[in-house]
Amino acid sequence: MGTAALNDGVGKLPALGFNTWNLYQCNYTADVLLEQAQAIVDRGLLKAGYNYFMLDDCYSLKERDENGRIVEDPEKFPNGMKNFTESLAKLGFRAGIYSDAGYRTCGGYPGSYGNEAKDLETFAEWGFEYLKYDNCYIPFDNVTQENVYGRYERMAEAIRARAEETDSAPLQLALCEWGWQQPWRWAGRLGQSWRIGGDIRPWWSALSSIINQASFIAGATGFYARNDLDMLEVGNTGIGTPPGNLSYDEAKSHFTAWALLKSPLLIGSDMASASRETMEILGNEDILRINQDPHVGEAVAPFRWGHNADYTWDPDHPAEYWTGNSSYGVVFMVLNTFDEPRHMSFNLTESWAIRAGRLYSVYDLWTHTDNGTAYRNISLTLPPHGVAALLLNDAGPEPEAAEPYCAVWWQCSYPNVLVVDDDDGWHG
């Protein structure tokens, strides 16, 4: 597994920002969206790094003009799309837009199949730098004579060609393929991120299902190319049926998993009405710092599934113990996938990034506190659907009297090659 990522200076790190779809779907105007953008600024999230404003589906008329160009909806954008993106830029945002690799978008508006270069010219003239590219209304096979890779490649090649012709930075390309054809194996050749499944919903079973899928493909993420777990549903959302919005602990787990798995973090909920708790979650500088690490692009990955045997597919109880490296220390994420509190523990050396025989300082990425030192093991109690996120750094040798002599005792031996044996004591 892995990617052949585009190292073209665009999209090295995950995008942070806001996406219009889950909150508004097709029901918005430029004024409504700019009010949301202003709320993001006023609540401090732009300063925290959420600087992309993504305009999703339904922004255009249903048909192209006589020259074959997409036309912005004059009722939604009475002052034009260029005025809208300029207004976003004045607030400090970079603008992103949406299109589709088929004849029409998922909402039934003009898609870009057969018009890739023309639509890119339009998007650039309007002032957009980021393209979410969906997968609806695809032509018949005997028309394209291509699979999903080939249809996405058409847009990727058009982006490359336009960048070369105009001597400009290419648009960042986010593929919305839904995971049906394992985009983590190939999409990094074309764009900077790829969706791994269907649309997110703001309840725990939907989140745990996405985390379960991510458990098996975490290693596909790196600089310029990453799994996209879909939008952040932290706070008040515009979609869903009961049970509706997430609990506080579920929202923390949601944000932590998305951020440490290096997914793009595009908010899908209302920031104008967001609670203090929602802002604390989305604005967690310690977690964002890991997501935006300029020197380590890899995501955390499971080192033990926990409730299930390793590599068990279980949308209700995905992998619970995760680790990875960062510029700031070794990262651990522990998830309680159950509906009740649980006592959970792990051996430090289960993480590949930990040195055996050493003490480690423990920093809590949620309480933002130094919690002393640990060696060999860490134990904690988590609330239902809760999370722990820890950052460990080497603090010197562990105590000389530490027993057993090895954290992984069955691999331990004396110089004369006597080895610990569970049944007989020692053998050689």
Side-chain angles (χ1 to χ4, degrees), residues 189-383:
R189 298 181 178 92
L190 306 178
Q192 287 76 36
S193 64
W194 50 87
R195 279 275 294 281
I196 68 169
D199 290 350
I200 194 171
R201 290 294 182 266
W203 46 80
W204 178 253
S205 61
L207 302 184
S208 66
S209 179
I210 294 171
I211 294 170
N212 174 65
Q213 186 170 8
S215 301
F216 296 86
I217 58 174
T221 282
F223 288 138
Y224 301 102
R226 58 197 58 89
N227 292 312
D228 180 355
L229 280 57
D230 204 10
M231 282 170 258
L232 288 171
E233 289 299 305
V234 177
N236 298 323
T237 68
I239 64 171
T241 57
N245 294 334
L246 304 170
S247 73
Y248 174 65
D249 289 313
E250 290 169 342
K252 284 176 60 179
S253 296
H254 173 26
F255 179 75
T256 303
W258 265 234
L260 298 186
L261 277 157
K262 302 294 181 78
S263 174
L265 301 179
L266 298 175
I267 300 165
S269 49
D270 184 14
M271 293 296 97
S273 65
S275 67
R276 178 179 59 82
E277 290 81 6
T278 293
M279 302 311 300
E280 287 177 355
I281 291 171
L282 293 174
N284 185 323
E285 294 182 357
D286 284 328
I287 299 286
L288 290 173
R289 185 171 59 152
I290 304 298
N291 180 264
Q292 296 290 296
D293 191 329
H295 306 297
V296 178
E298 295 83 4
V300 297
F303 62 85
R304 176 157 46 91
W305 256 241
H307 169 67
N308 289 311
D310 290 352
Y311 306 106
T312 297
W313 181 272
D314 186 346
D316 294 323
H317 299 290
E320 296 178 318
Y321 296 90
W322 303 64
T323 192
N325 207 359
S326 80
S327 297
Y328 317 105
V330 180
V331 181
F332 285 90
M333 178 175 72
V334 183
L335 289 168
N336 177 10
T337 64
F338 281 77
D339 299 337
E340 63 273 348
R342 287 172 68 212
H343 181 76
M344 306 181 74
S345 63
F346 59 92
N347 186 316
L348 299 190
T349 58
E350 291 181 83
S351 169
W352 64 269
I354 287 289
R355 295 172 61 191
R358 307 289 293 183
L359 277 172
Y360 277 83
S361 63
V362 180
Y363 181 78
D364 190 311
L365 295 169
W366 276 109
T367 63
H368 314 291
T369 55
D370 293 307
N371 292 357
T373 57
Y375 70 96
R376 301 294 178 92
N377 298 289
I378 287 179
S379 297
L380 38 83
T381 299
L382 293 180

Side-chain angles (χ1 to χ4, degrees), residues 13-324:
L13 299 176
L16 305 182
F18 177 86
N19 183 289
T20 63
W21 180 252
N22 283 9
L23 183 59
Y24 298 112
Q25 297 190 0
C26 295
N27 302 314
Y28 59 79
T29 65
D31 287 343
V32 167
L33 298 184
L34 289 172
E35 288 174 3
Q36 189 67 221
Q38 185 65 59
I40 294 169
V41 174
D42 294 344
R43 304 302 294 275
L45 289 181
L46 178 69
K47 186 177 180 180
Y50 292 88
N51 64 346
Y52 276 98
F53 196 98
M54 299 296 301
L55 177 62
D56 214 286
D57 207 349
C58 312
Y59 55 82
S60 72
L61 296 179
K62 284 292 184 76
E63 303 300 333
R64 296 172 179 267
D65 68 12
E66 64 275 11
N67 298 313
R69 294 173 68 94
I70 295 176
V71 181
E72 66 264 62
D73 186 334
E75 292 187 5
K76 292 179 178 177
F77 299 94
N79 297 317
M81 193 68 83
K82 182 65 173 176
N83 177 270
F84 173 67
T85 61
E86 288 176 346
S87 298
L88 287 174
K90 289 177 182 177
L91 291 173
F93 291 98
R94 306 175 73 175
I97 199 167
Y98 168 95
S99 191
D100 194 281
Y103 290 134
R104 291 196 173 272
T105 69
C106 297
Y109 295 80
S112 291
Y113 181 80
N115 291 283
E116 290 86 0
K118 184 177 294 184
D119 289 353
L120 281 177
E121 183 179 358
T122 298
F123 299 153
E125 289 176 359
W126 283 348
F128 291 101
E129 305 177 45
Y130 189 114
L131 176 61
K132 175 184 173 182
Y133 207 48
D134 220 331
N135 193 34
C136 289
Y137 291 94
I138 60 175
F140 294 155
D141 290 349
N142 64 0
V143 174
T144 68
Q145 299 184 40
E146 296 168 336
N147 206 331
V148 63
Y149 180 94
R151 292 189 295 273
Y152 278 131
E153 187 179 31
R154 293 170 65 99
M155 180 56 81
E157 289 300 328
I159 289 173
R160 287 194 188 97
R162 189 180 189 284
E164 292 175 359
E165 290 169 4
T166 60
D167 193 26
S168 61
L171 268 72
Q172 188 168 169
L173 181 60
L175 308 182
C176 190
E177 196 274 337
W178 320 324
W180 289 358
Q181 290 205 338
Q182 300 183 330
W184 47 89
R185 296 186 182 276
W186 51 265
R189 298 181 178 92
L190 306 178
Q192 287 76 36
S193 64
W194 50 87
R195 279 275 294 281
I196 68 169
D199 290 350
I200 194 171
R201 290 294 182 266
W203 46 80
W204 178 253
S205 61
L207 302 184
S208 66
S209 179
I210 294 171
I211 294 170
N212 174 65
Q213 186 170 8
S215 301
F216 296 86
I217 58 174
T221 282
F223 288 138
Y224 301 102
R226 58 197 58 89
N227 292 312
D228 180 355
L229 280 57
D230 204 10
M231 282 170 258
L232 288 171
E233 289 299 305
V234 177
N236 298 323
T237 68
I239 64 171
T241 57
N245 294 334
L246 304 170
S247 73
Y248 174 65
D249 289 313
E250 290 169 342
K252 284 176 60 179
S253 296
H254 173 26
F255 179 75
T256 303
W258 265 234
L260 298 186
L261 277 157
K262 302 294 181 78
S263 174
L265 301 179
L266 298 175
I267 300 165
S269 49
D270 184 14
M271 293 296 97
S273 65
S275 67
R276 178 179 59 82
E277 290 81 6
T278 293
M279 302 311 300
E280 287 177 355
I281 291 171
L282 293 174
N284 185 323
E285 294 182 357
D286 284 328
I287 299 286
L288 290 173
R289 185 171 59 152
I290 304 298
N291 180 264
Q292 296 290 296
D293 191 329
H295 306 297
V296 178
E298 295 83 4
V300 297
F303 62 85
R304 176 157 46 91
W305 256 241
H307 169 67
N308 289 311
D310 290 352
Y311 306 106
T312 297
W313 181 272
D314 186 346
D316 294 323
H317 299 290
E320 296 178 318
Y321 296 90
W322 303 64
T323 192

